[in-house]
Amino acid sequence: MYRRSFAIALAAAAIGVAPALAGPKEELSMLYQRFVAAQNNRDLGAVREALWDAPEFLWVSDGMSVWGRDALVERMSGFQKAEVWRVEPDLARSTSVVLSDQAAYLHLPLVLTIGPGAKPDRLSFLVSVLGIETPLGWRIAALFTTSAKSR
């Protein structure tokens, strides 16, 4: 069975047909995981690529808004100057809401560890991510973060 599936996928790739392997929920989850990995690797180019390239892109954090992916990348570059920077999403506690074949929300808690190496802060957040399918693939169109209460 494995050989047959592999042969079908190989044949589809050869003629330029990508088999549908994931729906909006899975696409957004994979995109968000790439986005987090890029942040943790301090790869702002990959962070930028994960974001929708439109003036409507929005990041809202505890009442502060940033419009446009360049503005978010610029703001994030300041945070990433900290000696310690680590985003730790709790994917097991995430919830997805599919809006259509081209849009979905992902809501989850995360911990951001940031600051000096000797004693970084551990900040808890709740994050909602709006993902959309664009001609270039899935991109993050909006991020909403709020401080989470301590347990």
Side-chain angles (χ1 to χ4, degrees), residues 4 7 12 38 45 76 83 85 90-91 110 127:
R4 181 175 178 211
M76 190 175 285
E83 186 178 354
W85 168 276
D90 188 347
L91 295 171
L110 67 76
V127 178

Side-chain angles (χ1 to χ4, degrees), residues 2-60:
Y2 170 78
R3 286 183 181 171
R4 181 175 178 211
S5 296
F6 179 74
I8 291 170
L10 188 59
I15 61 171
V17 176
L21 299 175
K25 179 179 175 180
E26 295 81 12
E27 291 285 353
L28 181 54
S29 178
M30 290 184 297
L31 169 62
Y32 185 71
Q33 289 177 59
R34 287 191 310 270
F35 177 67
V36 167
Q39 289 183 66
N40 288 339
N41 290 327
R42 299 178 189 233
D43 182 349
L44 293 174
V47 165
R48 189 175 191 283
E49 283 302 310
L51 304 173
W52 186 33
D53 185 16
E56 295 84 9
F57 170 82
L58 174 62
W59 174 50
V60 177

